[in-house]
Amino acid sequence: MNTIVPPLITKNGQRVLEKRYLKRVNDRYETIDSMFRRVAKRVASAESLYSSGPETQIMEQDFFRAMAALEFLPNSPTLLNSDLDGQIASCFVLPVGDSIDEIFEAVKNTARVHQSCGGTGFSFSRIRPEGDVVHDQPGIAPGPVPFIQAFSLASNLVKQGGVRQGCNIGILNVDHPDILKFIAMKDDPEYLTNFCISVAITDKFLDALFTGGDYDLINPRTGQIQGYLNAQFVFDKITNQSWKTGDPGLIFIDRINRDQPTPILGKIEAVTSCAEQVLLPFECCHLGSINLAKMLKNSTDGTLVIDYPKIARTARLGIRFLDDCIDINNYPLPQIEEATKRTRKIGLSVMGYADMLVMLEIPYDSDLALETANKIMRLIDDEAHIASQELAQKRGVFPAYSGSKYDRPNGQRLRNASCTMIAPTGSLSLIAGCNNGIEPFFSMVFVRNILDGEHLLEVNPYFETYARENGFFSEDLLYRLVQGENLRDVPGIPEAAKRIFVTTNQVKPEWHVRTQGVFQKNIDGAIAKMINVPASTTPQEIGEIFLMAYREGVKGVTAYRDTSRKIQSLCNDENG
Ligand code: UDP
């Protein structure tokens, strides 16, 4: 291969790659170019399983080009571990049983997954409640909540591939007798910082909530009713706690199970650690993201427009890349390989949505943004399914196709039971130099700490260009913004700029929710998104936001009230 791709990496992207991703070969770091070649080669090697023709070389070239142009990037483990036999998937769901053996087997599995660079989602709902019988002795079971510490510790001790800390999500069904203890579990947000928690909300709970009634608590060991709680009381506990610390979030577990592609294989109990994917026990998912910042072109009149054919091409390439990943991965456990290869779920996502909007001069909180999001994500989802169908023609449908929701007259014959979702892209977006996932920009100006305690002001490049071109760029403006002043309150700023450069905290919560709703309608999986709400939001308002999110059809929702945490959750920073 001899394609020369001009360097596109920003200084920050370069820094992140050098710090964590580039391999040392003979005392020298590989180049970024060789990293992408290494990844392209390993992933395209899967092509030879299906063809002895030139596909391997062609796809290797195409994969390399898309990555080097920062148009498509696979999840971090693929970039990090694409050596001969590295583990390359990002997120896993591990089952946790009720016996001591099963619980500690799951702890061991957690260590294996985190060592291999994966993050984990767990449901702790099968563990018998506090005070339940153990070996016929009543009153001694500790319940699920204390056990979660063992999982947190295991993943803390095993730093992911030596490069970063793993994320976890712990889930408990709302009808578990220990639900109140679970909801309050992260009252001190600095306790178990590598764990987010989420309550699995059932339809029965929602029915009781909407009618002001009670709902039953079920002992998972016996399947018997073990008391009841008032749904509004529990909901208020959840929203108060979310108001206070950002945890717990909600997942709508019955909706998730109604939508899931392979009910015949069992129930979905959990989502992945940043809540972006819905997986069966032991499944893992390979993720990859299309950088929407690179999906624009100049129209004939010189204005920027969306390059739909390029999006379609990149989506198809992404599906092929991710399907190849399944075949070449070196899975951390045989059960994971078996479960993953049964459904072949993959996660094609987007990042740089905010970049695309500002380049098109579309405010994030506008109907036009929602229309644009709908059009783009529908195209990606359609192309992803077409690509998966084409792969199925050559490579076969996913092995659990029979009896799946697609197995009906005129159903899609797919290679992958699930194709699309929205990933957090915490590190990928830094490498690509774009904003993460489908979030709005956090700020137009950042203070970056550099060596010797020096601080540097970093300005959003789109904002800087726009402000200079429109004559309102000044040191004073940067100073005001960095002090936390709202662009909308600074005198002399053009109205259009105030709308286009809207930041996370200025976007009203309902626009965050509506944005999540629009993306949700056009994907198979779930969404990693934070519903950011102002510091002044009340717990009741958080409750209304949760219910609005439910009505929008989302699979899960997490809110974060500005200033409610001294430290942001592990998965939202630079993964430090
Ligand atoms: N993840 C993790 N540790 C981290 C960041 C991510 O374990 O520090 C896992 C986690 O399971 C998450 C998944 O990687 O759900 C995808 O996260 P993200 O898109 O932010 O990862 P990236 O590929 O950008 O590194």
Side-chain angles (χ1 to χ4, degrees), residues 9 13-14 17 22 30-37 64:
I9 305 267
Q14 176 107 19
L17 286 170
L22 301 182
E30 66 181 342
T31 61
I32 296 170
D33 197 79
S34 34
M35 174 188 78
F36 287 134
R37 286 185 194 281
F64 168 73

Side-chain angles (χ1 to χ4, degrees), residues 21 75-76 90-91 118-119 160 164-167 273-274 276 287 423-428 575:
Y21 293 77
N75 53 208
S76 283
S90 188
C91 47
Q160 297 186 316
R164 63 183 189 176
Q165 196 67 72
C167 303
S273 46
C274 299
E276 73 275 27
L287 315 180
T425 69
S427 307
L428 291 192
N575 304 311

Side-chain angles (χ1 to χ4, degrees), residues 318-382:
I319 293 295
R320 182 131 176 192
F321 185 107
L322 296 172
D323 190 61
D324 280 353
C325 285
I326 296 176
D327 291 325
I328 49 119
N329 197 1
N330 183 11
Y331 295 86
L333 297 167
Q335 303 96 303
I336 293 178
E337 176 161 13
E338 198 190 317
T340 305
K341 287 187 170 170
R342 247 182 347 194
T343 57
R344 305 188 67 89
K345 289 176 187 166
I346 48 179
L348 182 65
S349 166
V350 294
M351 60 182 164
Y353 172 59
D355 304 61
M356 187 196 71
L357 289 182
V358 296
M359 283 191 268
L360 295 171
E361 304 195 356
I362 299 174
Y364 187 94
D365 48 352
S366 68
D367 287 327
L368 186 55
L370 298 186
E371 278 167 38
T372 310
N374 191 46
K375 214 166 154 191
I376 286 173
M377 206 60 225
R378 196 185 320 143
L379 174 67
I380 293 174
D381 194 57
D382 286 349

Side-chain angles (χ1 to χ4, degrees), residues 443-464:
S443 169
M444 289 303 136
V445 188
F446 288 96
V447 181
R448 195 170 282 281
N449 297 326
I450 55 167
L451 294 175
D452 305 326
E454 231 185 286
H455 300 298
L456 262 188
L457 276 194
E458 209 172 282
V459 187
N460 176 302
Y462 307 107
F463 177 71
E464 177 164 356

Side-chain angles (χ1 to χ4, degrees), residues 84-149:
L84 279 181
D85 58 357
Q87 194 293 112
I88 60 171
S90 188
C91 47
F92 296 72
V93 164
L94 291 175
V96 185
D98 179 45
S99 68
I100 288 293
D101 277 357
E102 287 168 310
I103 292 170
F104 284 92
E105 182 67 20
V107 171
K108 186 185 88 186
N109 292 342
T110 304
R112 292 289 299 276
V113 168
H114 281 255
Q115 189 184 33
S116 82
C117 221
T120 33
F122 311 93
S123 168
F124 295 105
S125 306
R126 291 192 230 169
I127 300 181
R128 70 190 70 186
E130 183 180 3
D132 201 16
V133 294
V134 178
H135 297 313
D136 296 336
Q137 293 271 339
I140 51 172
V145 172
F147 280 118
I148 299 176
Q149 291 176 73

